[in-house]
Amino acid sequence: LAYMDKAALRLARNEIYARHGYIFKSDFWNDFFSTYIWYSGIYSADKFDAGVFNEYEKENLKLAVEMEQ
């Protein structure tokens, strides 16, 4: 993550959510990830359980957010 710019960090962070079926509030991200065969948005923001993240994903999300700021 150290060599990523803010846009790449945002993409990496959102990909973690996308891989767990998160439906984004942003049309941009929904459209973007819909181009990938592995993406299946099935959980709206109010139904999404962040408990699905493993320890690596949690740490990467935390680090990406810190580095974006």
Side-chain angles (χ1 to χ4, degrees), residues 37-50:
I37 194 165
W38 52 261
Y39 179 67
S40 60
I42 53 176
Y43 301 108
S44 60
D46 61 327
K47 302 283 187 207
F48 186 79
D49 178 10

Side-chain angles (χ1 to χ4, degrees), residues 23 37 41 47 50 54 58 61:
I23 299 172
I37 194 165
K47 302 283 187 207
N54 64 39
K58 289 176 188 175
L61 285 167

